[in-house]
């Protein structure tokens, strides 16, 4: 073929590592604009979002010219996948009653002037109406 990757659908496989079975998925390539749906990008990224680990394989001989790593990292960051970073220190506890209680132990500067409102809007999208949230770091 005249293009650099030919995987068109998710190809599952398994490998054994230290007595455990690990599922491995070969996904179609993520192209620039994938986070916004270009090239079936949303489907591919949806699978990547549920992964515990992501292995990115690039052609090192072409990396300087094509910026593939930069493009992949940007596309994944756009949809909230933060590579090589620890998950934010946020505790979320769903409750049966009591509404939403949002608190933080540090100033929240990355969520705008009303971080509690941002959190409430996110919870509303997921139809969560009773929960406690505690942010222990400045989250975005």
């Amino acid at each position: 073929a005249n293009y650099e990757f030919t995987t068109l659908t998710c190809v599952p496989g398994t490998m054994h590592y230290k007595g455990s079975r690990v599922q491995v998925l070969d996904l179609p390539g993520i192209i620039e604009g994938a986070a916004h749906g270009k090239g079936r990008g949303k489907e591919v990224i949806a699978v990547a979002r549920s992964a515990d680990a992501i292995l990115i394989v690039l052609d090192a001989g072409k990396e300087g010219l094509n910026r593939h790593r930069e493009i992949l990292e940007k596309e994944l960051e756009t949809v909230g996948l933060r590579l090589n970073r620890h998950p934010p220190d946020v505790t979320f506890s769903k409750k049966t009653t009591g509404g939403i209680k949002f608190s933080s132990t540090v100033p929240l500067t990355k969520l705008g002037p009303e971080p509690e409102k941002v959190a409430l809007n996110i919870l509303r999208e997921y139809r969560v109406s009773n929960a406690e949230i505690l942010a222990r770091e400045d989250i975005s």
Side-chain angles (χ1 to χ4, degrees):
N2 235 2
Y3 39 88
E4 296 181 356
F5 54 85
T6 56
T7 304
L8 300 176
T9 61
C10 178
V11 179
T14 58
M15 65 181 238
H16 295 275
Y17 180 74
K18 294 187 177 184
S20 297
R21 273 185 28 184
V22 178
Q23 183 179 30
V24 179
L25 303 174
D26 182 9
L27 298 175
I30 296 174
I31 61 174
E32 197 161 15
H36 303 290
K38 186 174 179 185
R40 296 182 57 196
K42 287 188 177 183
E43 294 173 49
V44 175
I45 290 173
V47 173
R49 286 184 72 107
S50 65
D52 292 322
I54 296 175
L55 173 66
I56 297 173
V57 180
L58 302 171
D59 183 341
K62 297 181 181 178
E63 181 56 25
L65 301 171
N66 295 333
R67 309 176 10 259
H68 288 165
R69 179 178 175 179
E70 177 188 330
I71 291 167
L72 283 168
E73 288 176 349
K74 185 181 125 217
E75 294 299 321
L76 295 173
E77 180 82 24
T78 298
V79 297
L81 282 168
R82 294 173 171 93
L83 301 176
N84 299 323
R85 293 195 218 160
H86 293 285
D89 192 359
V90 177
T91 303
F92 171 81
S93 302
K94 199 167 180 181
K95 304 290 181 182
T96 54
T97 61
I100 303 293
K101 181 182 176 193
F102 181 85
S103 55
S104 66
T105 60
V106 296
L108 299 176
T109 62
K110 299 177 184 177
L111 291 178
E114 299 181 73
E116 186 170 347
K117 201 173 202 175
V118 172
L120 291 173
N121 286 335
I122 292 169
L123 292 172
R124 193 172 294 126
E125 282 185 39
Y126 288 94
R127 300 183 192 276
V128 175
S129 54
N130 298 296
E132 288 183 11
I133 301 166
L134 173 60
R136 291 188 186 93
E137 69 179 76
D138 194 6
I139 55 177
S140 60

PDB file of all heavy atoms in Angstrom, residues 10-15 22-26:
ATOM      1  N   CYS A  10      -9.607  -2.757  14.861  1.00  0.00           N
ATOM      2  CA  CYS A  10      -8.902  -3.214  16.063  1.00  0.00           C
ATOM      3  C   CYS A  10      -8.601  -4.704  15.922  1.00  0.00           C
ATOM      4  O   CYS A  10      -9.494  -5.505  15.662  1.00  0.00           O
ATOM      5  CB  CYS A  10      -9.782  -2.943  17.282  1.00  0.00           C
ATOM      6  SG  CYS A  10      -9.045  -3.501  18.815  1.00  0.00           S
ATOM      7  N   VAL A  11      -7.326  -5.081  16.079  1.00  0.00           N
ATOM      8  CA  VAL A  11      -6.911  -6.475  15.989  1.00  0.00           C
ATOM      9  C   VAL A  11      -6.471  -6.914  17.388  1.00  0.00           C
ATOM     10  O   VAL A  11      -5.427  -6.484  17.874  1.00  0.00           O
ATOM     11  CB  VAL A  11      -5.760  -6.655  14.985  1.00  0.00           C
ATOM     12  CG1 VAL A  11      -5.326  -8.120  14.922  1.00  0.00           C
ATOM     13  CG2 VAL A  11      -6.145  -6.141  13.610  1.00  0.00           C
ATOM     14  N   PRO A  12      -7.286  -7.756  18.059  1.00  0.00           N
ATOM     15  CA  PRO A  12      -6.940  -8.173  19.426  1.00  0.00           C
ATOM     16  C   PRO A  12      -5.967  -9.342  19.444  1.00  0.00           C
ATOM     17  O   PRO A  12      -5.896 -10.132  18.512  1.00  0.00           O
ATOM     18  CB  PRO A  12      -8.288  -8.586  20.009  1.00  0.00           C
ATOM     19  CG  PRO A  12      -9.078  -9.046  18.825  1.00  0.00           C
ATOM     20  CD  PRO A  12      -8.605  -8.220  17.652  1.00  0.00           C
ATOM     21  N   GLY A  13      -5.219  -9.415  20.526  1.00  0.00           N
ATOM     22  CA  GLY A  13      -4.319 -10.533  20.752  1.00  0.00           C
ATOM     23  C   GLY A  13      -4.033 -10.629  22.242  1.00  0.00           C
ATOM     24  O   GLY A  13      -4.460  -9.779  23.012  1.00  0.00           O
ATOM     25  N   THR A  14      -3.351 -11.678  22.650  1.00  0.00           N
ATOM     26  CA  THR A  14      -2.969 -11.814  24.051  1.00  0.00           C
ATOM     27  C   THR A  14      -1.506 -12.195  24.127  1.00  0.00           C
ATOM     28  O   THR A  14      -0.953 -12.807  23.214  1.00  0.00           O
ATOM     29  CB  THR A  14      -3.801 -12.882  24.791  1.00  0.00           C
ATOM     30  OG1 THR A  14      -3.657 -14.127  24.129  1.00  0.00           O
ATOM     31  CG2 THR A  14      -5.255 -12.499  24.875  1.00  0.00           C
ATOM     32  N   MET A  15      -0.876 -11.828  25.233  1.00  0.00           N
ATOM     33  CA  MET A  15       0.494 -12.239  25.503  1.00  0.00           C
ATOM     34  C   MET A  15       0.565 -12.647  26.968  1.00  0.00           C
ATOM     35  O   MET A  15      -0.251 -12.212  27.783  1.00  0.00           O
ATOM     36  CB  MET A  15       1.494 -11.126  25.189  1.00  0.00           C
ATOM     37  CG  MET A  15       1.376  -9.900  26.051  1.00  0.00           C
ATOM     38  SD  MET A  15       2.575  -8.646  25.596  1.00  0.00           S
ATOM     39  CE  MET A  15       3.439  -8.449  27.131  1.00  0.00           C
ATOM     40  N   VAL A  22      -2.144 -10.843  29.217  1.00  0.00           N
ATOM     41  CA  VAL A  22      -2.315  -9.422  28.934  1.00  0.00           C
ATOM     42  C   VAL A  22      -2.947  -9.291  27.557  1.00  0.00           C
ATOM     43  O   VAL A  22      -2.451  -9.860  26.587  1.00  0.00           O
ATOM     44  CB  VAL A  22      -0.958  -8.679  28.962  1.00  0.00           C
ATOM     45  CG1 VAL A  22      -1.139  -7.211  28.613  1.00  0.00           C
ATOM     46  CG2 VAL A  22      -0.276  -8.852  30.307  1.00  0.00           C
ATOM     47  N   GLN A  23      -4.049  -8.547  27.490  1.00  0.00           N
ATOM     48  CA  GLN A  23      -4.677  -8.321  26.199  1.00  0.00           C
ATOM     49  C   GLN A  23      -3.948  -7.185  25.488  1.00  0.00           C
ATOM     50  O   GLN A  23      -3.687  -6.139  26.070  1.00  0.00           O
ATOM     51  CB  GLN A  23      -6.149  -7.959  26.353  1.00  0.00           C
ATOM     52  CG  GLN A  23      -6.835  -7.794  25.006  1.00  0.00           C
ATOM     53  CD  GLN A  23      -8.311  -7.465  25.133  1.00  0.00           C
ATOM     54  OE1 GLN A  23      -8.732  -6.833  26.093  1.00  0.00           O
ATOM     55  NE2 GLN A  23      -9.078  -7.894  24.151  1.00  0.00           N
ATOM     56  N   VAL A  24      -3.643  -7.397  24.231  1.00  0.00           N
ATOM     57  CA  VAL A  24      -2.964  -6.409  23.403  1.00  0.00           C
ATOM     58  C   VAL A  24      -3.879  -6.105  22.226  1.00  0.00           C
ATOM     59  O   VAL A  24      -4.423  -7.022  21.610  1.00  0.00           O
ATOM     60  CB  VAL A  24      -1.605  -6.948  22.894  1.00  0.00           C
ATOM     61  CG1 VAL A  24      -0.919  -5.934  22.010  1.00  0.00           C
ATOM     62  CG2 VAL A  24      -0.714  -7.347  24.058  1.00  0.00           C
ATOM     63  N   LEU A  25      -4.058  -4.824  21.933  1.00  0.00           N
ATOM     64  CA  LEU A  25      -4.896  -4.414  20.807  1.00  0.00           C
ATOM     65  C   LEU A  25      -4.059  -3.613  19.825  1.00  0.00           C
ATOM     66  O   LEU A  25      -3.459  -2.609  20.199  1.00  0.00           O
ATOM     67  CB  LEU A  25      -6.071  -3.556  21.298  1.00  0.00           C
ATOM     68  CG  LEU A  25      -6.978  -4.190  22.356  1.00  0.00           C
ATOM     69  CD1 LEU A  25      -7.994  -3.171  22.845  1.00  0.00           C
ATOM     70  CD2 LEU A  25      -7.673  -5.408  21.802  1.00  0.00           C
ATOM     71  N   ASP A  26      -4.021  -4.052  18.584  1.00  0.00           N
ATOM     72  CA  ASP A  26      -3.374  -3.292  17.518  1.00  0.00           C
ATOM     73  C   ASP A  26      -4.450  -2.395  16.923  1.00  0.00           C
ATOM     74  O   ASP A  26      -5.434  -2.880  16.361  1.00  0.00           O
ATOM     75  CB  ASP A  26      -2.797  -4.244  16.469  1.00  0.00           C
ATOM     76  CG  ASP A  26      -2.072  -3.509  15.349  1.00  0.00           C
ATOM     77  OD1 ASP A  26      -1.858  -2.280  15.458  1.00  0.00           O
ATOM     78  OD2 ASP A  26      -1.726  -4.168  14.354  1.00  0.00           O
TER      79      ASP A  26
END
